[in-house]
């Protein structure tokens, strides 16, 4: 039963890696033509009425949704410093590091999320995706062939 669970988890992580790998492969690609409504949607949300930690999280999520990873990282770190430290924030922060090509920092965030909540599925899922991607892109040493 454990083997079936592990196989299902690995299959799901591999599928997510493929989906995320394609959707985040070129975050700088944007449409050249934008309508007026779309331009307004690109303005950051008004967070002046929110508590500082909630405002930082809102801005982090807004930047995350637009694949502005560096700005999202700044706001997530600010939210954590202001007391909004939870597994969801840590996982999203880890994803930002992952999409910027910093897998060690991503792993640290996923592990922190799991210490905060060992049952946090998103951090486990993203960590599995990180391992799957690292394993497929590493140059693993070749094993010697067995002689007959």
């Amino acid at each position: 039963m454990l083997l079936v669970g592990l196989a299902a988890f690995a299959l799901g992580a591999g599928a997510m890696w493929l989906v995320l790998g394609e959707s985040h492969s070129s975050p700088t690609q944007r449409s050249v033509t934008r309508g007026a409504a779309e331009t307004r949607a690109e303005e950051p949300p008004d967070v002046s009425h929110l508590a500082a930690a909630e405002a930082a999280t809102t801005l982090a999520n807004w930047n995350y949704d637009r694949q502005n990873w560096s700005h999202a990282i700044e706001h997530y770190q600010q939210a954590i410093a202001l007391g909004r430290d939870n597994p969801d924030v840590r996982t999203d922060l880890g994803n930002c590091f992952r999409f910027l090509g910093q897998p060690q920092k991503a792993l640290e965030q996923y592990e922190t999320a799991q210490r905060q909540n060992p049952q946090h599925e998103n951090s486990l899922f993203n960590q599995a995706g990180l391992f799957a991607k690292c394993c497929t892109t590493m140059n693993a040493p070749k094993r010697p062939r067995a002689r007959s």
Side-chain angles (χ1 to χ4, degrees), residues 22-137:
E22 291 176 11
S23 67
H24 296 294
S25 60
S26 55
T28 58
Q29 292 180 344
R30 297 201 185 263
S31 173
V32 175
T33 59
R34 295 182 181 177
E38 188 177 342
T39 301
R40 281 193 299 271
E42 292 298 314
E43 295 175 11
D46 177 18
V47 295
S48 61
H49 62 286
L50 300 175
E54 187 176 350
T57 304
T58 299
L59 291 171
N61 291 338
W62 185 84
N63 279 285
Y64 183 101
D65 292 342
R66 282 149 189 80
Q67 300 179 3
N68 296 328
W69 310 125
S70 296
H71 287 101
I73 287 170
E74 291 174 23
H75 290 292
Y76 283 129
Q77 289 175 331
Q78 181 182 22
I80 291 168
L82 293 168
R84 178 61 71 83
D85 191 358
N86 63 57
D88 292 328
V89 169
R90 291 290 183 161
T91 299
D92 289 346
L93 177 57
N95 288 341
C96 293
F97 284 124
R98 177 179 169 191
F99 298 139
L100 285 177
Q102 300 177 37
Q104 188 59 43
K105 288 184 176 183
L107 180 60
E108 290 169 8
Q109 296 306 315
Y110 299 149
E111 289 175 342
T112 299
Q114 291 160 26
R115 279 192 301 274
Q116 292 173 336
N117 178 1
Q119 302 304 315
H120 191 255
E121 294 175 1
N122 288 339
S123 60
L124 291 167
F125 186 76
N126 283 290
Q127 184 174 349
L130 178 68
F131 286 147
K133 185 170 184 170
C134 288
C135 290
T136 59
T137 58

